[in-house]
Amino acid sequence: MHTFMTNLDKIVRAACAITVLTFSVAAFAGEKHEHGDDFVIGVSGAGELKFEAEPVEENEIFSLETVSGILNGWAGDEPGFMPLDENEPDEDFFTLAIGAEIQLVLVSIDPALKAHTPGFGDIIDQPGDAWTIATVTTDPPAFDEHPTWHIDSDDPSLAANQVVWSGTFKFVDVGTTAYADSEEFTLRFSNAHVEDCVPGDVDLDGIVHRSDSCYFGDVLRNPGAASPDAKCAADANGDGYVNKADVHAFFRILAAARCGL
Ligand SMILES: [Ca+2]
Ligand SMILES: [Ca+2]
């Protein structure tokens, strides 16, 4: 009996740790429309494009809002892209020189996630697609460009059980400065309100309770009929999809809640 209780205790404590970790990731998603979410682009002393980006450092998930009309599904314009405007030699981070022409180039992307260029002139959704963010014509450089990030509900490849969509990009210079490509980076988006997402609270009443297990089963069986927020709560293992792999994690969270931990 003692061994059983010890193991159970380990399980529920692990479940609490998972819940806290998920909360800490989700907390950053609430900071919308602040320049802290934007990329700052510059170059190293060796001539390689660099960036500073809290969303990448913090592994942020951007919540997209429901849209219909020109675009259907969920969309938003954060993050955007700005230049470094003052040299930071201590960090080997310098301003872009006149003549730099900076592109955002797509490396890989989840189905149904896309970026529309400002003015909706182009869609970035295939590996190799490139959007010219800005050409530098001033010293220091100045631009502030935001694409429209979009999870497309009209796209037949949209996965019904998906919670988080990812795209991997890099910055490329096609201007006269010929800087080397930046490191690749990944951006993550969700159609759920991830800042409010409580893993396990699938009926969205604010409490993790055994009644959530019925709703969890419903989402698992028919994710296409569930709301994005319910799917976020049902993604108990936090891997961005609702599927059988969440069952164990869900019941660990439920056990932790029932024991008042
Ligand atoms: Ca609940
Ligand atoms: Ca999952």
Side-chain angles (χ1 to χ4, degrees), residues 10-43:
K10 285 179 181 173
I11 289 170
V12 295
R13 286 181 190 282
C16 288
I18 290 168
T19 306
V20 170
L21 178 64
T22 309
F23 269 128
S24 64
V25 170
F28 291 100
E31 301 173 6
K32 296 188 74 177
H33 303 293
E34 295 178 6
H35 280 313
D37 281 341
D38 284 340
F39 278 66
V40 176
I41 306 170
V43 64

Side-chain angles (χ1 to χ4, degrees), residues 200-209 211-212:
D201 179 24
V202 186
D203 68 0
L204 308 174
D205 70 348
I207 306 165
V208 178
H209 185 264
S211 60
D212 285 303

Side-chain angles (χ1 to χ4, degrees), residues 148-242:
T148 298
W149 307 99
H150 179 209
I151 299 169
D152 187 356
S153 60
D154 292 334
D155 191 321
S157 66
L158 182 77
N161 69 331
Q162 196 159 355
V163 176
V164 177
W165 283 256
S166 299
T168 298
F169 303 85
K170 63 181 177 179
F171 297 117
V172 172
D173 177 22
V174 295
T176 55
T177 41
Y179 296 136
D181 296 356
S182 76
E183 292 179 356
E184 296 179 358
F185 58 88
T186 297
L187 293 175
R188 302 196 299 158
F189 301 90
S190 179
N191 53 4
H193 298 91
V194 289
E195 67 272 25
D196 299 325
C197 183
V198 177
D201 179 24
V202 186
D203 68 0
L204 308 174
D205 70 348
I207 306 165
V208 178
H209 185 264
R210 63 187 176 202
S211 60
D212 285 303
S213 60
C214 304
Y215 291 88
F216 175 73
D218 290 343
V219 175
L220 205 58
R221 281 189 294 273
N222 189 8
S227 71
D229 288 340
K231 281 185 271 197
C232 185
D235 177 22
N237 68 358
D239 70 350
Y241 295 86
V242 179

